[in-house]
Amino acid sequence: MAEFETVLKTSDLAPGQMQGVTVDGMDIVVANVEGRFCAFGGICPHEDAPLADGDLYGDVVTCPWHFTEFNVLTGEALEGLTDEPIPVFEVRIEGDDVKVALQEE
């Protein structure tokens, strides 16, 4: 069973916002997609760009370096310089805590 770690408060991210965090040495990004919190790998598989520095539109994050797009709910690479997906992680909300399990969904 996956172990969940508190990474943010729900009040830290308004809908449409995302924030990079480090959990057990791994860079991940937590995003609020229209009130639904999700977590995904923070590094673009193309050339290791920090996805937290990219743009979030709906459920799509755009890499800040080469503009590859990924679905933040599924990890699927949508358009750009790589077909490699990003990992997505399970998120739980407990009270005001946003908790993430590093085991991939």
Side-chain angles (χ1 to χ4, degrees):
M1 185 164 135
E3 198 170 312
F4 285 83
E5 183 171 329
T6 300
V7 293
L8 294 170
K9 299 291 186 186
T10 56
S11 56
D12 292 336
L13 291 179
Q17 292 184 327
M18 62 181 180
Q19 182 175 328
V21 297
T22 302
V23 179
D24 292 336
M26 178 183 282
D27 292 326
I28 65 171
V29 180
V30 178
N32 181 337
V33 177
E34 299 174 6
R36 176 180 176 185
F37 286 84
C38 62
F40 54 94
I43 303 298
C44 179
H46 173 241
E47 286 194 3
D48 299 330
L51 292 177
D53 292 343
D55 293 314
L56 180 68
Y57 295 103
D59 61 0
V60 175
V61 65
T62 303
C63 175
W65 290 0
H66 299 107
F67 310 110
T68 299
E69 296 179 344
F70 300 92
N71 182 298
V72 299
L73 302 175
T74 66
E76 176 185 10
L78 302 173
E79 186 175 310
L81 298 177
T82 185
D83 292 331
E84 187 177 339
I86 55 173
V88 293
F89 306 102
E90 188 176 354
V91 174
R92 285 187 185 165
I93 305 300
E94 293 181 7
D96 192 33
D97 292 336
V98 179
K99 296 183 173 219
V100 174
L102 285 187
Q103 180 177 342
E104 288 185 45
E105 285 193 303

